[in-house]
Every structure is written in C-alpha cells, then in structure tokens.
C-alpha cells in the first residue's frame, strides 16, 4: 500500500497528534518493504516495534514526499536516533530513503552490512575520496532515489537545539540536479536518545516529524555554482527546516543560526581578508 493509500485508509494527518495504536498497526502491516535490501530491511524489522511501542510518535506533511522520482530530504539533526524515526516516516509514505553517513561507520561489521545493503552512501571527510559522496548522491537522485540529507553534518551545537548553520553540500547537489528539496523537521528524538546520553524509553517520549512543500530554489536555477549561490541556496533550505522546527516547538527561532565555526577560537596568525577582498570563483 502506498503512502497515498495509507492516508486514505487512516485519514489525513493534519496535526501533530501522536499516531493511535490502530494507525501504528496499519503502518506495521502495510508499510513499504521493497528496496530496503536484506540487512537494512532486517534492521528496520528489529527496530520498528520499539519505535512504535516506546514513543508517542506523530507526524504530518508526508504528502510532500514525491511518490516517484528523485528527491532530497533536508532534515535537522538533534540525535543519533534521527535516522530511525526519519526512516519510519519516509517508508510509511511509500519511499525508501538512502542516507549519507560517515565512512567510519563502514568499519563496524554489522553496521557496515546494514549501510551497504541499504544502498547508503559513505562520506569520506577530509580525504582524497571526499567527492565520492557528492557524486554518488547525484547518481542516486538521477536513478530516482530519495536521498536523506542532514545539512548540518552532525548534531546541532546550538545551546537550545535549533538548527545551526549548514554546510553547503546540499545546496550544491540541489543546484546540480534540480530535484525537489523537501524540508523535514524532527523534534523529540533528542529526548529518546540524547546525543551524549543513554536511551530513555520510559515514560514514552513525544517525537514529532513534519515535512513541508518543496523549497522554491528557482532564483538559483541556471546560476553559476559560486560560494555565494551555494550558501544562498543552502540558507534558504535551512530557513524552511527551521520554520518547521519552530512550528513544532511553538517558539521563535534565533534571528541568525548558530555558527559553530564562529564559536571556535580563531588560531593565531594574520587576520583573514575581508569578504570584499576575496575573489569569488565558481565552486564546481
């Protein structure tokens, strides 16, 4: 049963009210399984009951995830458990997500089997293979896959948990491929599994996921991939994600996203040139 059929069967999700036991049962029996690969599919089967039984899970906006064709999902990152809940959200709406994940995870035998079997993409940071993930993500999108992307590249460092300034890789991929970019917000996963803590399964924690309509990036169509344009496209994507997070939390986000680079001490040496003194070149 596709995501559209599920919504017709269970009724459209118009609020952040947690899924009922009946809705969870329907999703368990009829969610998408094709395309997961054996090991990734097995991991989903094992983890799924815990997700459904030990959280007060709710979501909306799944109709914005395209039923066919390539799409980028831009998701905020607050917990190691984010991919678990994001996967549940995406496959419950008829698609199978592919993730970009740190290459170090491929060194762990069981995790390696799950990631490789699920068609996920290793990210080799600061190495000669750093561009492989970029090329593989584009190839996956051109094959019509859904690629889930955490633009912040790691858990947010914002003291209040808001999305922080993102790296511009997602802006580059969006400009190259032209696929729809779907903003997705999750909140509450950090209460289930804090970034530096132990799982909290009881009392059950509230977890909410919300997807929005595709980000309008038409102003960047056909433009050179300069740093300014890549940063601009990325910032627009993250603005949409942050707005969704604000909607879940019912709070006003910071005027400017937290910038972890600016928060780090500046190494000694000559001052960096002013922005207007740097000659900008196309980024590729």
């Amino acid at each position: 049963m596709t995501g559209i059929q599920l919504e017709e069967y269970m009724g459209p999700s118009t609020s952040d009210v947690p899924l009922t036991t009946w809705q969870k049962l329907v999703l368990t029996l009829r969610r998408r399984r094709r395309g997961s690969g054996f090991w990734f599919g097995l991991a989903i089967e094992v983890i799924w009951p815990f997700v459904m039984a030990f959280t007060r899970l709710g979501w909306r906006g799944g109709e914005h995830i395209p039923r066919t064709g390539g799409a980028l999902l831009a998701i905020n990152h607050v917990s190691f458990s984010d991919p678990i809940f994001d996967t549940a959200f995406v496959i419950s709406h008829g698609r199978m997500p592919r993730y970009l994940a740190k290459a170090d995870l491929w060194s762990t035998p069981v995790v390696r089997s799950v990631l490789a079997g699920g068609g996920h993409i290793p990210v080799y940071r600061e190495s000669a293979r750093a561009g492989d993930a970029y090329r593989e993500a584009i190839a996956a999108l051109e094959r019509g896959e859904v690629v889930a992307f955490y633009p912040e590249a790691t858990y947010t460092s914002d003291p209040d948990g808001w999305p922080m300034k993102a790296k511009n890789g997602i802006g580059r991929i969006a400009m190259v491929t032209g696929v729809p970019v779907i903003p997705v917000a999750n909140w509450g996963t950090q209460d289930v599994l804090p970034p530096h803590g132990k799982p909290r399964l009881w009392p059950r924690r509230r977890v909410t996921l919300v997807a929005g309509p595709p980000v309008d990036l038409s102003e960047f169509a056909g433009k050179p991939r300069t740093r300014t344009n890549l940063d601009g496209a990325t910032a627009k994507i993250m603005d949409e994600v942050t707005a969704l997070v604000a909607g879940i939390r019912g709070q006003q986000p910071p005027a400017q996203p937290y910038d972890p680079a600016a928060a780090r001490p500046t190494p000694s040496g000559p001052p960096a040139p002013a922005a207007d003194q740097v000659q900008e070149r196309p980024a590729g």
Side-chain angles (χ1 to χ4, degrees), residues 2-183:
T2 66
I4 293 176
Q5 291 172 317
L6 275 172
E7 287 165 2
E8 290 174 349
Y9 187 78
M10 299 191 304
S13 179
T14 57
S15 69
D16 300 333
V17 174
L19 297 170
T20 66
T21 300
W22 174 247
Q23 289 173 324
K24 290 179 177 180
L25 178 61
V26 171
L27 288 172
T28 300
L29 295 175
R30 306 190 182 193
R31 62 180 166 79
R32 181 186 177 99
R33 289 172 170 79
R34 181 170 51 85
S36 66
F38 175 78
W39 287 107
F40 186 43
L42 179 61
I44 293 171
E45 293 290 344
V46 170
I47 295 173
W48 184 274
F50 293 93
V51 170
M52 294 295 161
F54 290 101
T55 64
R56 298 175 60 233
L57 179 63
W59 55 48
R60 58 183 167 87
E63 68 275 8
H64 297 301
I65 300 174
R67 305 306 169 194
T68 59
L72 265 173
L73 305 184
I75 315 171
N76 68 306
H77 204 1
V78 292
S79 167
F80 184 72
S81 66
D82 290 342
I84 294 173
F85 293 94
D86 297 333
T87 297
F89 180 51
V90 176
I91 65 177
S92 292
H93 291 89
R95 302 302 300 270
M96 187 63 63
R98 311 301 179 191
Y99 290 90
L100 281 78
K102 292 185 293 186
D104 293 349
L105 295 173
W106 266 257
S107 63
T108 305
V110 175
V111 175
R112 178 177 63 236
S113 298
V114 171
L115 293 173
H120 305 298
I121 302 167
V123 178
Y124 299 89
R125 295 175 181 168
E126 300 178 0
S127 75
R129 300 184 62 183
D132 289 358
Y134 166 74
R135 288 185 287 271
E136 289 187 35
I138 290 175
L141 292 166
E142 290 176 343
R143 290 194 303 269
E145 302 273 12
V146 168
V147 175
F149 206 104
Y150 297 104
E152 299 158 280
T154 187
Y155 315 125
T156 180
S157 299
D158 181 273
D160 294 319
W162 292 101
M164 62 183 179
K165 183 178 180 181
K167 300 182 183 298
N168 65 19
I170 193 168
R172 180 192 295 269
I173 294 173
M175 288 183 67
V176 169
T177 62
V179 300
V181 179
I182 311 301

Side-chain angles (χ1 to χ4, degrees), residues 221-238:
K223 288 189 175 180
R225 293 188 292 278
T226 61
R227 183 173 298 278
T228 294
N229 286 334
L230 296 178
D231 287 349
T234 300
K236 189 164 187 180
I237 292 168
M238 290 306 296

